[in-house]
Amino acid sequence: MKKIFLTSILVFATLHSFASNGEKKSYSIVEVVTPAKEIYDDGIYRTLFSAFYITNEEGNKVLSSGEVFDKAANVKLTEGTYKIYYSDSNGKLSSKDLEVTKGNFLRIELK
């Protein structure tokens, strides 16, 4: 848990330093922690986070992420209201509303 937090901070700092002055404060980094399962992959057990997609207020898909290994996905979103769609622990399509304010780091845990 501590390692994931430190890695997230490092990723945020790196993205923040590469952004141009005009873009620096116009977006937020959102760590999306979807339901995960442990799978055996090539000799080791790895955590596989489920896929998700995000829509804006008008219902248009703004980004999607497939399944990812080992750490939750970090996405960049501009200020606004969004909805995240994901498969819950039972495999049913679920959603959660998300309010993003510019320049912040958010961590969303979905179950």
Side-chain angles (χ1 to χ4, degrees):
M1 180 73 166
K2 194 174 188 180
K3 185 178 179 182
I4 290 173
F5 177 74
L6 293 174
T7 302
S8 298
I9 296 298
L10 180 61
V11 168
F12 177 73
T14 303
L15 289 173
H16 192 56
S17 67
F18 284 121
S20 67
N21 286 338
E23 188 181 3
K24 225 178 233 187
K25 296 184 182 188
S26 65
Y27 68 88
S28 295
I29 301 295
V30 180
E31 181 181 33
V32 181
V33 183
T34 56
K37 58 186 171 187
E38 206 171 56
I39 64 166
Y40 187 74
D41 179 43
D42 201 23
I44 60 171
Y45 285 95
R46 299 176 71 185
T47 303
L48 180 64
F49 292 91
S50 63
F52 66 92
Y53 66 93
I54 299 176
T55 61
N56 61 15
E57 289 179 283
E58 293 81 34
N60 300 318
K61 189 183 289 188
V62 293
L63 69 86
S64 61
S65 172
E67 294 177 320
V68 293
F69 279 106
D70 303 326
K71 72 178 200 100
N74 286 319
V75 297
K76 183 169 74 169
L77 293 171
T78 57
E79 184 173 24
T81 302
Y82 299 92
K83 187 171 276 208
I84 301 175
Y85 293 89
Y86 63 99
S87 292
D88 66 16
S89 301
N90 298 321
K92 293 165 82 176
L93 183 64
S94 296
S95 66
K96 180 174 177 119
D97 293 331
L98 172 64
E99 185 70 33
V100 176
T101 56
K102 62 182 171 182
N104 290 322
F105 177 83
L106 299 170
R107 184 171 200 262
I108 305 299
E109 289 194 45
L110 307 169
K111 298 180 184 204

